[in-house]
Amino acid sequence: MEASNQSSVTEFVLLGLSAHPKLEKTFFVLILSMYLVILLGNGVLILVTVSDSHLHTPMYFFLGNLSFLDICYTTSSVPLVLDGFLTPRKTIPFSACAIQMFLSFAMGATECVLLGMMAFDRYMAICNPLRYPVVMRKAVYVSMAASSWLAGGANSLVQISLAVQLPFCGDNVINHFTCEILAVLKLACADISINVVSMGVANVIFLGVPVLFILVSYIFILTTILRIPSVEGRKKAFSTCSAHLTVVVIFYGTILFMYGKPKSKDPLGADKQELADKLISLFYGLLTPMLNPIIYSLRNKDVKAAVKNLVVQKHSTQ
């Protein structure tokens, strides 16, 4: 088709659960409940890490960043999803779609880098405790967190800039709840090989490299812990990194489950497969942010103590 005959897309239609209207109200309540838990849990973690002086350390500074990141990540998409469950025709302007893609992509990439930074913090604390206060001084750990945000934002800017330069014409229906970048790229009426290569390189940098870094860090951490003579000492050392390790396993384990599961070859089950893929992708974006504050609250004595102090102070002022 010639360019002169193409009509440029100015808005997209989000398919969501349009084919399954009976499910929309159920999922609206479920997603809203999970979102409120995310806001409350991560909000409390941010509050205690800022207000409690005992938590003014690199580990809890990174944790506060992770909680803020999870709030931003879910807020970039969940309100759009909830609105889609209530709106008969779910449309989103091209510009708003680009902004939503940028925010979601940036937060996802930032979390990958930040989890790697947190692994380095645990490595220094356990494997080099004498050098830890010198290496992980405030200027260093603030710079590490800032570089995570900058790297994630820069990567997202590159990917979304490449995406919005593509011509979109004809079909404008996105088979997803949000402007998921892969679903959007399928609608481009041009060659997307540059986009695919660029995203492949980004996945290696922002998924592969942090995973490798975390793996190597924990090999050294576990080796050091096993050398501690006392059982109590080993238990105490492992408790300082068990929460982070649990979050890493859930975060990357969910990604592997999403993209590593086999596709159905039954053409009759294609619709069910697409629905399952969309729902898994949706809940992936909610599962880790919801579990993070729960994991850190249950597996960390300092956080539990800080939360209790916060509750006691609130009751004493009433």
Side-chain angles (χ1 to χ4, degrees):
M1 185 183 294
E2 294 181 2
S4 59
N5 295 329
Q6 293 179 349
S7 57
S8 179
V9 171
T10 58
E11 67 177 15
F12 291 106
V13 177
L14 299 170
L15 201 57
L17 288 176
S18 299
H20 307 273
K22 292 182 180 179
L23 296 176
E24 290 188 322
K25 289 184 179 178
T26 302
F27 278 100
F28 176 85
V29 174
L30 180 59
I31 299 303
L32 178 60
S33 301
M34 293 178 73
Y35 183 51
L36 292 176
V37 171
I38 288 167
L39 294 179
L40 178 63
N42 287 286
V44 169
L45 266 185
I46 293 171
L47 186 60
V48 297
T49 55
V50 171
S51 61
D52 195 314
S53 59
H54 296 97
L55 302 184
H56 291 175
T57 63
M59 183 174 78
Y60 296 111
F61 177 77
F62 287 129
L63 178 57
N65 272 263
L66 184 64
S67 294
F68 182 65
L69 179 65
D70 285 339
I71 290 175
C72 293
Y73 179 70
T74 51
T75 302
S76 70
S77 59
V78 171
L80 181 63
V81 173
L82 294 175
D83 181 64
F85 288 143
L86 301 176
T87 308
R89 182 173 171 80
K90 310 158 185 69
T91 60
I92 181 171
F94 185 91
S95 57
C97 187
I99 293 171
Q100 191 260 309
M101 283 194 297
F102 170 79
L103 292 174
S104 295
F105 213 87
M107 298 304 111
T110 301
E111 181 152 358
C112 291
V113 180
L114 190 61
L115 288 173
M117 298 293 187
M118 294 173 77
F120 177 75
D121 172 68
R122 292 300 81 208
Y123 162 76
M124 289 301 303
I126 295 172
C127 299
N128 295 282
L130 297 179
R131 294 184 59 205
Y132 181 73
V134 178
V135 175
M136 295 300 294
R137 57 190 184 277
K138 187 174 182 178
V140 173
Y141 67 74
V142 169
S143 299
M144 289 170 65
S147 65
S148 300
W149 287 89
L150 288 172
N155 174 56
S156 182
L157 186 62
V158 171
Q159 304 304 329
I160 305 309
S161 296
L162 290 173
V164 298
Q165 289 176 30
L166 293 168
F168 293 91
C169 48
D171 188 11
N172 68 334
V173 179
I174 299 174
N175 189 14
H176 215 280
F177 297 100
T178 62
C179 291
E180 201 271 333
I181 190 166
L182 293 177
V184 172
L185 289 177
K186 290 179 182 179
L187 304 180
C189 47
D191 181 26
I192 62 169
S193 56
I194 294 177
N195 302 75
V196 172
V197 171
S198 177
M199 289 184 65
V201 172
N203 285 340
V204 171
I205 296 172
F206 288 90
L207 281 173
V209 173
V211 166
L212 184 62
F213 186 79
I214 291 168
L215 181 62
V216 172
S217 296
Y218 272 99
I219 288 173
F220 283 109
I221 288 170
L222 291 174
T223 302
T224 302
I225 289 175
L226 292 174
R227 289 175 182 165
I228 298 174
S230 67
V231 175
E232 189 63 29
R234 288 197 296 269
K235 185 177 179 181
K236 184 178 180 181
F238 185 73
S239 68
T240 64
C241 60
S242 60
H244 174 257
L245 185 58
T246 304
V247 168
V248 167
V249 170
I250 293 173
F251 181 76
Y252 286 106
T254 313
I255 293 176
L256 289 174
F257 174 77
M258 279 178 58
Y259 296 105
K261 68 183 190 309
K263 299 291 183 181
S264 173
K265 294 182 179 180
D266 181 10
L268 296 176
D271 291 340
K272 291 182 179 179
Q273 182 70 51
E274 282 190 351
L275 176 62
D277 288 344
K278 287 193 293 185
L279 290 174
I280 289 170
S281 176
L282 175 62
F283 282 102
Y284 156 70
L286 294 168
L287 183 65
T288 306
M290 185 178 73
L291 292 179
N292 282 355
I294 298 173
I295 292 168
Y296 274 98
S297 297
L298 292 177
R299 303 184 70 90
N300 191 292
K301 294 180 180 179
D302 293 334
V303 172
K304 283 193 285 188
V307 172
K308 287 180 182 178
N309 290 335
L310 187 65
V311 172
V312 170
Q313 289 176 8
K314 185 177 179 180
H315 283 294
S316 63
T317 55
Q318 290 179 348

